[in-house]
Amino acid sequence: GAVVSQHPSRVICKSGTSVKIECRSLDFQATTMFWYRQFPKKSLMLMATSNEGSKATYEQGVEKDKFLINHASLTLSTLTVTSAHPEDSSFYICSAREGRTEAFFGQGTRLTVV
Amino acid sequence: RKEVEQDPGPFNVPEGATVAFNCTYSNSASQSFFWYRQDCRKEPKLLMSVYSSGNEDGRFTAQLNRASQYISLLIRDSKLSDSATYLCVVAGGTSYGKLTFGQGTILTVHP
């Protein structure tokens, strides 16, 4: 299957700092990338949908100035958590689709803000 | 009403059992349907797509009923390795359609 690479897999940062997470589609062109967060024992919650070359569409309740998404190319999208706080600690996962195919997921990033 | 709803579970079954998961979705315009599995602290992985004609992959059978907006997954001859959370996923019809996940159903297969 297609490969989506997410980096870093784990990050610990101090409160108030920013963290950037990268999501790359390695063998296909991702027309759409999605960013999710998942709390323990909960399902994935969509944060935003990112289309290459255009602004991301954020879900209701997700602060676009806090979670900056950039999808500058068909193979790379980034999520920057700005001014992170302990409540931002979560598992963040990206997924990518090419056209109408199924989505493939990155390995996820476990963010801990201390 | 949630966009995608699944059986709450959890399901605890012995090896060799047959187990069925159900899922309903609210958006009648949805066009793509999937079952993913997620192991603890790992990313979701596609198990199978779901088609109106029904589809089977080894011990797994998925079915879709568009009229009832209902999706099912049947697992026969359960293995210990089937223990995971199973996620029902629905997507819109355009290439930009977002994926909407059900809350997941936890399956534990015991010896």
Side-chain angles (χ1 to χ4, degrees), chain A residues 8 10-21 66 80-90 92 109-114:
Chain A
R10 189 181 295 270
V11 58
I12 301 172
C13 71
K14 290 185 177 180
S15 189
T17 61
S18 295
V19 175
K20 180 184 283 189
I21 303 170
K66 180 167 184 62
T80 301
V81 182
T82 62
S83 187
H85 291 286
E87 57 264 32
D88 297 325
S89 298
S90 188
Y92 293 87
T109 298
R110 189 161 302 282
L111 170 65
T112 303
V113 184
V114 298

Side-chain angles (χ1 to χ4, degrees), chain A:
Chain A
V3 178
V4 175
S5 176
Q6 187 173 340
H7 178 79
S9 58
R10 189 181 295 270
V11 58
I12 301 172
C13 71
K14 290 185 177 180
S15 189
T17 61
S18 295
V19 175
K20 180 184 283 189
I21 303 170
E22 290 189 350
C23 181
R24 295 179 184 272
S25 57
L26 298 184
D27 54 0
F28 67 101
Q29 293 186 323
T31 49
T32 309
M33 286 187 171
F34 305 89
W35 287 96
Y36 297 83
R37 68 186 294 181
Q38 186 176 33
F39 291 104
K41 299 187 179 181
K42 298 289 185 182
S43 189
L44 285 82
M45 297 298 295
L46 179 66
M47 298 175 66
T49 302
S50 168
N51 300 310
E52 185 267 339
S54 63
K55 290 183 179 180
T57 302
Y58 289 81
E59 294 298 299
Q60 191 172 13
V62 178
E63 298 177 60
K64 62 180 181 181
D65 294 330
K66 180 167 184 62
F67 300 99
L68 301 179
I69 291 172
N70 183 280
H71 191 168
S73 76
L74 283 170
T75 60
L76 174 64
S77 177
T78 60
L79 167 67
T80 301
V81 182
T82 62
S83 187
H85 291 286
E87 57 264 32
D88 297 325
S89 298
S90 188
F91 190 49
Y92 293 87
I93 307 177
C94 70
S95 74
R97 297 178 76 186
E98 181 181 26
R100 299 177 64 174
T101 63
E102 68 269 19
F104 294 92
F105 287 83
Q107 301 93 325
T109 298
R110 189 161 302 282
L111 170 65
T112 303
V113 184
V114 298

